[in-house]
Amino acid sequence: MFVRLYVTAKNKTEAKINLKICLEKINQIVVKANVEKLERYWKFDDMYVVELNLIVKKDLSLNELTQLLETISDKWQYYGDPINEFLASKTAEGCNYILKGVEMMNIYLDE
């Protein structure tokens, strides 16, 4: 599973804290997390982009994953048939809640 996360942060230390908070929400399904990229997002001075490769438990169901994702945001968009991409954004229409520090999160199941 590949995850791209955009977090509000003034520096790498704050970005890592926001990443940790986000990972704690899904840690029950994560076997291993590898941070591939953690750098300032070029469009905004107070944002970092984090790219992760996650190894998740083998018996993970789509239902279990969606329930966990609801602890991060109340509004997710789903793509693919079958579903293989999830997107949550602070600016999405109908988004009333997204985890503090998270601006946007993409999850790709096939990568």
Side-chain angles (χ1 to χ4, degrees):
M1 180 184 299
F2 177 78
V3 177
R4 184 173 292 121
L5 183 63
Y6 296 86
V7 296
T8 305
K10 294 177 185 168
N11 53 50
K12 280 191 175 185
T13 302
E14 282 185 18
K16 288 178 183 178
I17 290 168
N18 288 336
L19 170 61
K20 182 180 177 198
I21 291 168
C22 192
L23 286 175
E24 286 172 353
K25 294 290 186 179
I26 61 170
N27 70 358
Q28 66 192 41
I29 65 164
V30 175
V31 174
K32 187 174 183 182
N34 293 318
V35 177
E36 304 293 331
K37 177 178 176 180
L38 193 156
E39 62 186 34
R40 188 173 300 278
Y41 185 47
W42 64 274
K43 283 188 176 182
F44 304 104
D45 290 335
D46 62 344
M47 193 177 301
Y48 277 71
V49 60
V50 184
E51 293 182 355
L52 307 155
N53 279 307
L54 301 179
I55 298 172
V56 296
K57 67 181 192 173
K58 289 182 182 183
D59 61 344
L60 177 65
S61 71
L62 188 57
N63 186 45
E64 185 179 5
L65 177 59
T66 56
Q67 286 179 348
L68 284 174
L69 294 180
E70 287 174 0
T71 67
I72 296 171
S73 177
D74 68 343
K75 179 69 175 176
W76 287 88
Q77 295 173 6
Y78 308 100
Y79 301 97
D81 186 20
I83 295 169
N84 62 0
E85 181 182 349
F86 301 82
L87 172 67
S89 175
K90 188 176 189 176
T91 60
E93 185 176 331
C95 181
N96 298 308
Y97 166 80
I98 194 163
L99 194 63
K100 184 179 179 184
V102 174
E103 294 292 319
M104 188 169 80
M105 185 174 192
N106 293 87
I107 298 173
Y108 304 90
L109 299 180
D110 293 337
E111 295 189 32

